[in-house]
Amino acid sequence: MSHIVLPALPYDKDALDPHVSARTLDFHHGKHHAAYVNKTNELIKGTKYEAMSLVDIIKAAAGQQSETVLFNNAAQVWNHTFFWSCMRAKGGGAPTGRVAELIQASFGDVAKFKEEFKAAAISQFGSGWAWLVFDGSKLSITKTANAATPLTQPGHTALFTVDVWEHAYYLDYQNRRPDFVGAVLDHVMNWDFVAENLKNHH
Ligand code: MN3
């Protein structure tokens, strides 16, 4: 049995349609995410990493030049699993409770948060991710290149992300990354998952 497994999507493949189509999820989860899982298993086979959890593999490989390929694949496994839960059918809307308070304190309001998040996602040159992170006192928006992840930034907890690699949106939106990010924020963003991640910050 392989150590790292491809988790099932937390919803039906057509649940996010038309904002993220079943066809996109078919490729993105079934091909891209699966390939990162397979490659990670191949790379850890017979090494010390085989006994580690996915998160520990990512942290151990981070910043080591000799482990760049392992880091890229393992981090992409984690990033994608996290990303699927950032979306849900009939999502979007506005947060409540502590998340709502923090959004207000950190950005002013939900519209301003979306504006800033979208700007970060659009300005990430080439492949990468846009993130909403919590540092223990306030929320901020960051972006990372390729497979880089807030998991390796001590004191930062990832609350939400959008994949801005072309494979995330090209089938549905072609080159229109802003339309994809806007649709995720407005229609499928899972604020309950944001709240859950905030609660788990420590
Ligand atoms: Mn992807």
Side-chain angles (χ1 to χ4, degrees), residues 28 80 129 163 165 167:
H28 200 175
H80 282 90
W129 300 80
D163 186 342
W165 284 56
H167 68 225

Side-chain angles (χ1 to χ4, degrees), residues 158-173:
L159 303 184
F160 174 76
T161 193
V162 175
D163 186 342
V164 296
W165 284 56
E166 269 189 357
H167 68 225
Y169 58 87
Y170 212 84
L171 292 175
D172 297 331
Y173 300 88

Side-chain angles (χ1 to χ4, degrees), residues 74-137:
Q76 283 293 77
V77 172
W78 190 89
N79 289 349
H80 282 90
T81 301
F82 186 81
F83 176 48
W84 306 135
S85 288
C86 288
M87 302 185 285
R88 68 176 175 88
K90 298 189 179 76
T96 56
R98 178 131 190 266
V99 176
E101 286 164 21
L102 281 165
I103 288 281
Q104 197 181 15
S106 307
F107 304 105
D109 57 30
V110 176
K112 199 92 183 84
F113 152 72
K114 286 185 186 179
E115 208 177 285
E116 283 186 37
F117 190 92
K118 220 165 147 178
I122 294 164
S123 64
Q124 171 54 38
F125 186 78
S127 297
W129 300 80
W131 303 87
L132 176 65
V133 299
F134 181 59
D135 68 5
S137 58

